[in-house]
Amino acid sequence: MSVIQWFPGHMKKTLRELKAMLSNIDIVLYLLDGRAPLSSINPSLETLANKKPILYIINKIDLADKNRTLQICREFEKNKKEFVLINSTTQNDKIIKSKILKICDEKIKKSASKNIKPIIRAVVVGIPNCGKSTFINSLVRKAKLVTGNKPGVTKQVQWIKIGDNIELCDTPGTLYPNLKDQEIAKKLFYIGSVKDEILVDICPLAQDLLNLINQKYPNLYKQRYDDNFTLEDVAKKRNYILSKDTLDIERTANAVIDDFRKGRIGKITLD
């Protein structure tokens, strides 16, 4: 199987820019994909935060397993991590603004004591395709940032105001400089954070996804795929045939990955 490795030049540039700007940032808004929230956490960005408060925003919960999400929330609470659950395609401005102001309460009070209008500067970070631009657009209730259901849409840092006293900085999605843990890398691929085009052969990955879902969610698996446990089985079931004696395995692999990404199998969290 091909090793999953993707760290475009604009990501390196973003990490450098983040490191430079964090001295002027009050809070980090860390967007996680609810289908793989733990795999979405980038250790490099946590180190870069350098003790700045972090609000973890678990996004796409409409596609995630509710019970597993609640377990992860309890883990966050145990570790005293501030978090909120959202679906960025809906309006979340009130709860997010409230959280930001609560976390930055000390700065607000300090500014008020000096008769200075406080400006809270927040930076939005996360892996590619976790919904950062859609999230910001939902806060301002306008489509001010370009969005897309694929990684790599945001190419540069962008600033935008929400309300009178909060400024948000959108950044390009930033992955690990080195995806050494290939199990995590596979989960990031499944949720669409790694470009499909960089992989020579996605068939083994699609088979691994079938195995993983069958292991973690056997009931959902059976509803979608019956007792078809291999790509060959699924190809036969769906009549994906290139010629009389040849199954279209690549089409089947793409269909399985698309089933997961579009939520057709059910609400799933891979961790």
Side-chain angles (χ1 to χ4, degrees), residues 160-209:
I160 191 166
K161 288 185 177 181
I162 59 167
D164 295 329
N165 59 345
I166 300 176
E167 294 180 355
L168 287 183
C169 179
D170 183 33
T171 62
T174 308
L175 271 178
Y176 302 77
N178 187 5
L179 288 169
K180 291 181 179 179
D181 189 330
Q182 286 294 292
E183 291 307 308
I184 288 177
K186 284 192 285 188
K187 291 172 185 175
L188 295 177
F189 167 74
Y190 296 146
I191 64 176
S193 292
V194 177
K195 282 189 175 180
D196 297 356
E197 296 90 329
I198 72 163
L199 299 173
V200 176
D201 184 8
I202 69 166
C203 296
L205 286 169
Q207 182 61 62
D208 285 350
L209 178 59

Side-chain angles (χ1 to χ4, degrees), residues 15 47 74 117 120-121 127 142 155 157 187 230:
L15 286 174
T47 301
R74 285 194 286 269
K117 181 181 178 180
I120 304 302
R121 293 182 174 87
I127 57 174
K142 293 180 182 179
K155 296 293 186 181
V157 170
K187 291 172 185 175
T230 68

